[in-house]
Each structure stands twice: as structure tokens, then as C-alpha cells.
Amino acid sequence: LAGALDARSSGGEAVASAIPPKGCNMSRAKFADVLRASGLLTLAPGAKHDGQHVFHIVASANGGPDHTDNFLYALGGSFNISIGDRLDPFNCVLAGRPKARRAVAIALCVACDESLHRHIDKRGKALPTLFTGGHHRSLCERFPNDSLALADALYNNGNAILRDVRAAERSREHDEVLA
């Protein structure tokens, strides 16, 4: 067990050495390879819902690019599949405000530079959905080219979702006590 823990403790160092400090474009598959080589990705062959997936903060279906600033390492596959592209604000809370700001900044940068569109998964479409034209269009119109305001708005919306989840859980616990 000690040997396994020692090997895992160096995982973060291996990831850090594979990713430049300012981030980089990297496919999900390559990022998964980096995590797997570092012992930071658990797969469940034949049961993809049971293993971990490389997790986007801004979903690729919403214009989130395959970029290290938009990856939140790996989370459970069933969680990733179940939330799909509907909970980017919650993902921003999971990532934390500084990482959410980096994710939104790179999504906005990629959306505004046609030569970078190739870093967005097309999700089976002829053209990728851009951050500025997908689910976040209204926020992008409200805060044009202001990645900090966009990220903070998504983060604040995510906190509202988390508040509602906590309230629902408190209510459920209260109902169990009364039952």
C-alpha cells in the first residue's frame, strides 16, 4: 500500500510537467493519457459510466474547447453523462472561481478566433457550437468580450444551483426525521 501511495503522490508532479503553466490545447484523449500515466484516472473497461471521464468546465457542446484550462481533471463518468451540457454554472463552482475564470477566458478566446475553432468538439455537427452562440449566448450579449464578468455570472449562477441543492437536501432530511 505504501508503494502505491508513493506512486500516486508523484501524480500531480507528472501532470504539472506535462502541462505548461499557462495551459495548452490538448485533446481529451491526450489529457486522459496524462492523468492515467500519473495514476489520477480510474477507468472501468466495458462500463464507461463506472469509471472516470476527463471533465470539461464549459461543456464542449456549449463551446468549451479541449484545453487544459477548461478541464477539471476527471470526475465520475455517470456524473459527467448525467449533467451533460446543462450545468456549466455548477461546474464553475466545482472548479472554483479562479479556474472557472480561466475556462471561460479560453472558451471566449477560442470562440472569437476562427483558427482555434478546431479545438472544440463538433459533437457530430458540421460546425462546432461556439461559447458565444450556445447556451451562454445571452450572457455573452450581456457581457461582450468580458471573460471575468462572464465567468463570475456563471459562477454565481452555479452557487444558486448549489444553494437549491443544499435546501432540497435539508428538506429531505427534515422529512425523514418526521417520518
Side-chain angles (χ1 to χ4, degrees):
L1 181 61
L5 291 176
D6 289 341
R8 281 187 187 247
S9 67
S10 65
E13 295 166 14
V15 171
S17 68
I19 300 169
K22 293 188 181 209
C24 64
N25 294 306
M26 185 180 288
S27 71
R28 276 189 310 251
K30 174 67 176 163
F31 193 72
D33 288 345
V34 170
L35 294 178
R36 193 171 22 261
S38 302
L40 299 172
L41 180 70
T42 303
L43 300 177
K48 69 179 184 174
H49 288 54
D50 293 340
Q52 291 180 305
H53 293 181
V54 170
F55 192 81
H56 286 89
I57 298 167
V58 175
S60 53
N62 295 331
D66 286 346
H67 189 282
T68 57
D69 285 345
N70 192 39
F71 292 141
L72 185 60
Y73 292 97
L75 292 176
S78 61
F79 178 77
N80 190 27
I81 291 168
S82 68
I83 66 166
D85 64 355
R86 296 174 300 280
L87 291 174
D88 288 353
F90 186 71
N91 298 346
C92 287
V93 171
L94 289 174
R97 191 181 300 267
K99 181 74 171 174
R101 286 177 169 175
R102 289 177 66 166
V104 169
I106 194 62
L108 186 59
C109 176
V110 169
C112 294
D113 184 342
E114 192 172 341
S115 71
L116 297 175
H117 292 183
R118 69 183 186 280
H119 298 293
I120 304 171
D121 188 334
K122 295 181 194 172
R123 314 298 290 180
K125 301 176 194 167
L127 297 172
T129 299
L130 303 180
F131 180 73
T132 53
H135 284 292
H136 308 304
R137 177 184 296 153
S138 62
L139 277 178
C140 290
E141 290 170 352
R142 188 170 156 207
F143 304 109
N145 299 316
D146 187 345
S147 66
L148 285 178
L150 284 163
D152 287 349
L154 284 170
Y155 185 86
N156 292 338
N157 291 345
N159 268 329
I161 293 167
L162 183 57
R163 181 192 64 235
D164 292 346
V165 168
R166 286 192 310 256
E169 179 59 15
R170 281 192 299 275
S171 176
R172 187 191 65 75
E173 287 174 350
H174 181 264
D175 290 347
E176 282 182 359
V177 169
L178 294 178

